[in-house]
Amino acid sequence: MVMSANDKFLLDMPTFLPDYSEQEEYGYKNKPGRNLEELLRKSSKNHCMYCYSLLKNDRVNIGHLEHSIEKSLDELHLTECVPNIALACPNCNQSLKKVGEKKRIAELQEAKIEFETKLVCRGNVCRSECEKYKKLKKEYCRKAQIILQPSGVRGENSNLEYKIQYDVNNAEFIPDEKYQYDEYDLDYIKRHINRFKLNDPGIKTKALANFVEDVIEADGKYREQSEYPNYIVDLFKEKIRDMSQEKVLELCEQIYIRNVILFRT
């Protein structure tokens, strides 16, 4: 597989869709919280749902449950709302996602009142977003411009699912090129990418660069179960699974040369 300078090798970043069981009890705290965390880790293959980093330090799981719409907006209803709980690394949850939080909460008071009015809340029995939650989420997204997880976000006018790809050649995350996004959609997705610093120099992931270097050193061989610190490596492995060892080596050599240039500049 020889790629020209204009070829694109794109990895589709997933929307995380947990398969909630009707037999399990889910929530934010205690045993229901542990059940939900286990499910979300399975759904994301133990990766942060915002920056895609592996939530594992040596043999210990890191990261924690986080509220998509901050529970401080309405602790009574949002704290144990199962569809409102995602899985994130400490940096995304405690730092990056909190930027502008106080302002958002202040600006959403009217939406909060509408949310609470005649709300029939089933609490942690819910397995999907109710209509009231969807309306609150819509207002929240207008302010925050975050692709909330789990379940993701759709464009307000286009109704297109907001998706991200990883451009292997340029070592960067971009709006998914399979979709005909309008200017508002593209701006929203780019703001999400910038908020979580996915392409920031010195911070952007080098996981794939490390993987291709290891493959080159092993003459095109790799272990399917080997772990690297970002989901993009898992997706890349899926792409090359049916390639011959020679083709894998050839491809990784091309990517390695390109990555050396990109990361040095």
Side-chain angles (χ1 to χ4, degrees):
M1 180 176 183
V2 180
M3 295 189 298
S4 72
N6 294 322
D7 285 339
K8 288 193 175 181
F9 196 129
L10 302 175
L11 304 175
D12 297 328
M13 305 312 298
T15 298
F16 300 106
L17 300 171
D19 185 12
Y20 302 108
S21 169
E22 293 297 332
Q23 283 69 51
E24 286 286 358
E25 185 179 5
Y26 301 116
Y28 182 61
K29 302 174 183 176
N30 305 319
K31 188 174 188 300
R34 292 192 293 273
N35 290 341
L36 182 56
E37 181 177 342
E38 182 180 350
L39 173 63
L40 295 179
R41 287 189 186 276
K42 180 180 178 182
S43 302
S44 67
K45 295 185 179 178
N46 207 15
H47 292 84
C48 174
M49 292 181 169
Y50 293 101
C51 72
Y52 314 111
S53 60
L54 182 65
L55 297 178
K56 197 171 185 180
N57 185 356
D58 196 3
R59 292 177 296 174
V60 180
N61 284 330
I62 59 175
H64 24 61
L65 298 179
E66 72 94 19
H67 291 88
S68 303
I69 300 174
E70 290 89 353
K71 65 180 184 296
S72 57
L73 181 65
D74 182 353
E75 295 204 21
L76 178 62
H77 299 111
L78 294 177
T79 300
E80 295 289 339
C81 177
V82 173
N84 189 51
I85 300 173
L87 183 70
C89 70
N91 191 40
C92 286
N93 181 32
Q94 298 174 351
S95 178
L96 302 179
K97 195 163 178 281
K98 283 187 174 294
V99 174
E101 178 181 337
K102 289 184 179 179
K103 182 180 179 181
R104 286 196 297 273
I105 297 303
E107 293 176 342
L108 285 166
Q109 291 306 304
E110 188 174 328
K112 173 189 174 180
I113 293 171
E114 183 179 351
F115 173 65
E116 293 174 330
T117 302
K118 296 182 180 179
L119 175 64
V120 179
C121 183
R122 300 173 64 222
N124 57 9
V125 177
C126 283
R127 297 291 182 267
S128 60
E129 298 175 354
C130 67
E131 291 305 313
K132 284 278 191 176
Y133 179 85
K134 287 179 181 178
K135 289 187 69 174
L136 180 64
K137 181 177 177 180
K138 183 177 180 179
E139 291 300 320
Y140 179 90
C141 289
R142 283 177 180 165
K143 306 293 183 185
Q145 295 194 305
I146 298 171
I147 303 176
L148 296 180
Q149 297 293 347
S151 301
V153 171
R154 289 184 174 273
E156 186 172 341
N157 297 316
S158 67
N159 199 38
L160 293 173
E161 185 180 9
Y162 285 172
K163 300 279 287 183
I164 293 174
Q165 291 178 314
Y166 185 75
D167 182 346
V168 173
N169 279 355
N170 293 305
E172 65 178 5
F173 292 92
I174 61 173
D176 196 315
E177 295 191 347
K178 296 193 301 298
Y179 293 83
Q180 297 297 312
Y181 293 124
D182 60 27
E183 287 187 18
Y184 177 85
D185 296 336
L186 289 172
D187 182 66
Y188 189 116
I189 298 170
K190 289 175 182 177
R191 284 177 181 270
H192 173 95
I193 289 171
N194 291 338
R195 169 183 286 275
F196 293 103
K197 302 184 182 298
L198 299 184
N199 294 329
D200 279 24
I203 300 176
K204 63 195 300 183
T205 179
K206 295 181 177 65
L208 187 58
N210 293 336
F211 173 77
V212 298
E213 185 174 4
D214 290 345
V215 172
I216 292 168
E217 290 181 356
D219 293 322
K221 292 184 285 188
Y222 64 94
R223 290 186 295 116
E224 185 64 39
Q225 300 304 317
S226 58
E227 290 185 332
Y228 287 79
N230 196 282
Y231 207 162
I232 58 174
V233 177
D234 295 63
L235 297 173
F236 186 74
K237 287 179 185 177
E238 292 176 11
K239 288 270 191 179
I240 65 175
R241 185 168 291 140
D242 297 327
M243 290 184 187
S244 67
Q245 183 176 331
E246 291 75 17
K247 291 294 184 183
V248 169
L249 178 59
E250 182 181 16
L251 175 62
C252 287
E253 287 174 338
Q254 293 178 66
I255 295 171
Y256 176 75
I257 292 169
R258 181 77 174 147
N259 278 190
V260 167
I261 296 170
L262 289 170
F263 283 107
R264 282 184 178 174
T265 57

